[in-house]
Amino acid sequence: DTGVSQDPRHKITKRGQNVTFRCDPISEHNRLYWYRQTLGQGPEFLTYFQNEAQLEKSRLLSDRFSAERPKGSFSTLEIQRTEQGDSAMYLCASSLTPSKETQYFGPGTRLLVL
Amino acid sequence: AQSVTQPDIHITVSEGASLELRCNYSYGATPYLFWYVQSPGQGLQLLLKYFSGDTLVQGIKGFEAEFKRSQSSFNLRKPSVHWSDAAEYFCAVVSGGYNKLIFGAGTRLAVHP
């Protein structure tokens, strides 16, 4: 069990640039979640995948954000035209159905938009 | 809507002292509750969870938590704190059919030698 991995761990970009983050869940975990955590706050839910289907998106996920999970394995989160307000830690978690499952978190990708 | 409140933003304790971190939730039905710990720059590690049954839950690293429905609380405790326990602690409740987590704002724990 290698755990949830995320890449890159850190990203510095200039305002207006596009960035993409990758999450590799624990193998055989069919549920995958993205959260965003700003300084001094708890993580906030962004979006949820069950296998390859994106079943829920938070209103926090503006049109500049897009997430995919092709073939129900790894997932990517892309932010287009980044803004300074996008600076945050982006966390990925995975879990296994059925219900009551525990979400296991990756180490996160810390984004800084200059 | 479901919510979680952690009333204490910062707590400082001496090494060897007991610890209690408070968590209050708002949820209509029986909640599924979690405590996670986050070290600086790291992801979240699960300490313990409550789904049903015994209201006193044991976790890793010597932590325990007690679910009190009458008080809508799920406080985290440890009888003797170690310096390595210094971190940020988050309480969370499951919300909705897809089991997303709603987190509190966290409590930052500092441990004095």
Side-chain angles (χ1 to χ4, degrees):
Chain A
D1 183 358
T2 57
V4 178
S5 61
Q6 292 186 245
D7 183 70
R9 294 290 307 277
H10 303 273
K11 179 70 177 179
I12 300 175
T13 191
K14 294 181 179 179
R15 188 177 54 185
Q17 297 295 304
N18 299 343
V19 295
T20 300
F21 309 142
R22 176 180 172 123
C23 170
D24 287 273
I26 294 172
S27 59
E28 298 182 353
H29 277 196
N30 55 354
R31 293 188 169 201
L32 187 147
Y33 304 80
W34 284 97
Y35 294 83
R36 182 174 70 185
Q37 184 180 21
T38 53
L39 280 176
Q41 299 298 318
E44 296 175 289
F45 170 76
L46 290 179
T47 190
Y48 161 70
F49 289 87
Q50 184 160 325
N51 299 311
E52 66 276 6
Q54 187 175 20
L55 298 183
E56 187 172 357
K57 294 195 293 185
S58 163
R59 56 184 170 78
L60 293 176
L61 216 63
S62 74
D63 292 345
R64 296 184 298 104
F65 288 71
S66 63
E68 295 182 340
R69 192 183 182 196
K71 303 180 182 178
S73 55
F74 70 92
S75 176
T76 59
L77 178 67
E78 181 183 17
I79 309 175
Q80 296 182 327
R81 305 181 304 281
T82 53
E83 302 174 354
Q84 289 183 325
D86 297 331
S87 296
M89 173 83 91
Y90 290 85
L91 294 162
C92 176
S94 70
S95 67
L96 185 64
T97 52
S99 61
K100 302 184 184 179
E101 74 281 11
T102 296
Q103 292 182 30
Y104 295 90
F105 282 80
T109 294
R110 184 169 293 282
L111 172 66
L112 177 61
V113 182
L114 301 177
Chain B
Q2 294 86 355
S3 65
V4 174
T5 301
Q6 293 181 247
D8 304 305
I9 298 174
H10 296 280
I11 284 184
T12 300
V13 299
S14 298
E15 191 168 18
S18 63
L19 171 70
E20 182 168 22
L21 302 183
R22 295 184 290 165
C23 172
N24 293 98
Y25 66 89
S26 171
Y27 192 80
T30 300
Y32 298 156
L33 294 159
F34 300 79
W35 275 99
Y36 284 87
V37 61
Q38 185 177 38
S39 298
Q42 301 300 311
L44 300 169
Q45 182 183 21
L46 179 70
L47 286 176
L48 47 79
K49 59 189 176 185
Y50 172 77
F51 290 151
S52 63
D54 193 347
T55 57
L56 186 62
V57 180
Q58 302 298 319
I60 63 171
K61 304 184 179 185
F63 285 92
E64 66 177 26
E66 186 171 11
F67 171 64
K68 293 184 177 180
R69 183 187 300 276
S70 62
Q71 299 178 18
S72 297
S73 69
F74 188 56
N75 294 348
L76 182 71
R77 302 193 294 247
K78 186 169 185 178
S80 177
V81 172
H82 188 263
W83 64 266
S84 60
D85 293 324
E88 190 148 23
Y89 292 79
F90 293 95
C91 182
V93 64
V94 164
S95 173
Y98 300 129
N99 289 0
K100 63 178 179 286
L101 293 174
I102 306 298
F103 286 87
T107 297
R108 183 170 297 278
L109 174 66
V111 180
H112 280 180

